[in-house]
Amino acid sequence: MKKLFLPKVSSLLLLAALSCNEKPTQVDYTTLSDEARLEAAKEIAHETIMVDGHVDLPYRMKVGGFTLQREILDVSERTDGGNFDFPRAKEGGLDAPFMSIYLPARYQQTGGAKTLADSLILMTKRLAETWPEKFAMANSPDDIEANFKAGKISLPMGMENGAGIEDDINNVAYFHEKGIRYITLTHGKDNLIGDSSYDTSRTHGGLTTFGEQVVKEMNRVGIMVDISHVSDDTFYDVMKLTDVPVIASHSSCRKYTPGFERNMDDEMIKLLGKKKGVIMINFGGSFIDGDYNERTAEVREHIVNWLAKNELSRSDSAAQVYIKKYVAEHNVFPDVTLVADHIDHVVKIAGIDHVGLGSDFDGVGDSLPNGLKDVSMYPNLIAELLKRGYSKDDVEKICYKNVFRVWRAVETAAENS
């Protein structure tokens, strides 16, 4: 029997439901006050496993100068910068952020993509080794469930850019052994696997022959295929080829960002759903709001002109005061409600079983929407969904059940191959 959920703040509703010896009924979250609904959202966030498809902490550590030979970034405590650390994750109810093993496209030209991937994997594992009471590695949904019961944050890993495979198909199995559970086939440039959404060269017209081998090998060993970052042609080639559902680990809906191929259009979302896949919504400003970049450019231009007119630099105290005030008065950021709009749109096109969360925290800079600035703020999004009529079961699907379903299907196919 499904466990009945009644938020603590709704005790009056509970008493009302129990009056006259009636059986308690599920709370209608749309009738709650905003304050009560947020408290209900916080409770749901903490009692439900929450998976985020893409958090760029490993590369944040690398950029910050932390290496395997030096003291690692202490995300076991609250940090001044970035979007992720243990305390904030616990506040927001985040249980399993996929650690992005991000490989910049330049490594496709310079070489060393596999070496970088290995170092970021080791750095991620070092987090779990250094703070085993707080973090644990996770190679499966079962691992995440066990870690959740133990109160630990799981660190599953996905490799962002298949360039780490280099030109050796054996590296697919190699990375599976290392704990990689999804591979984003491309990143900012076309690679040996296929074409990127950001690269207008269209070098291959979709997947390459080697890319087809990679997809099949990922199916065989049990690595989820991630179609975020690929061109439309590459996406359709993958969908024709794969034997199992795929994910988009951190993409949003092109409906709200016309012409932005990095997001998925309605036909792609519909096909992804038909093939039982999941799109995990990216929170970045330019991913959810088609006008975000234009608004940001206008504010930036004004500040540059003001600095020139007043013969000041950004580092001057007077300039910093002005910039802070001007930015606050001309807030360019979208709102958490727009992230919910993207979720609504996927549900309308493909159904509730085909959407998840893929924030891109630590990967999209300061473009994050109001109400979703870091990992402590997921309840704000859940509250917005409850306000729109989503049930607790719907929220559970978005938070983890949908991606778990895909992940288990990939595991099962690999076991039977």
Side-chain angles (χ1 to χ4, degrees), residues 108 159-165 182-187 189-196 207 211 214-215 218 224-230 234-235 238 246:
Q108 297 165 198
M159 188 165 73
E160 187 179 20
N161 193 352
I165 297 168
Y182 75 68
I183 294 177
T184 317
L185 298 181
T186 67
H187 193 257
K189 295 288 184 181
D190 302 345
N191 62 17
L192 295 179
I193 294 172
D195 291 342
S196 162
L207 276 179
V214 167
V215 170
M218 289 171 68
M224 289 181 283
V225 176
D226 177 19
I227 52 79
S228 288
H229 279 286
V230 303
T234 302
F235 166 80
V238 168
V246 306

Side-chain angles (χ1 to χ4, degrees), residues 252-293:
S252 299
C253 304
R254 203 178 299 174
K255 169 184 168 62
Y256 298 96
T257 58
F260 186 38
E261 191 173 341
R262 173 65 178 76
N263 279 342
M264 299 181 69
D265 69 22
D266 289 2
E267 290 305 311
M268 298 166 77
I269 293 170
K270 187 181 300 182
L271 180 58
L272 187 75
K274 182 178 180 181
K275 297 285 189 176
K276 304 185 185 304
V278 176
I279 174 174
M280 308 179 80
I281 300 301
N282 191 311
F283 298 171
S286 60
F287 287 83
I288 61 173
D289 186 347
D291 296 325
Y292 171 75
N293 288 335

Side-chain angles (χ1 to χ4, degrees), residues 14-47:
L14 173 60
L15 291 174
L18 291 175
S19 64
C20 303
N21 297 318
E22 293 180 2
K23 292 183 179 181
T25 57
Q26 193 67 270
V27 173
D28 180 358
Y29 297 105
T30 65
T31 66
L32 300 180
S33 68
D34 289 345
E35 181 182 2
R37 190 162 39 241
L38 180 58
E39 289 304 312
K42 289 178 181 177
E43 189 166 342
I44 292 174
H46 286 96
E47 72 173 19

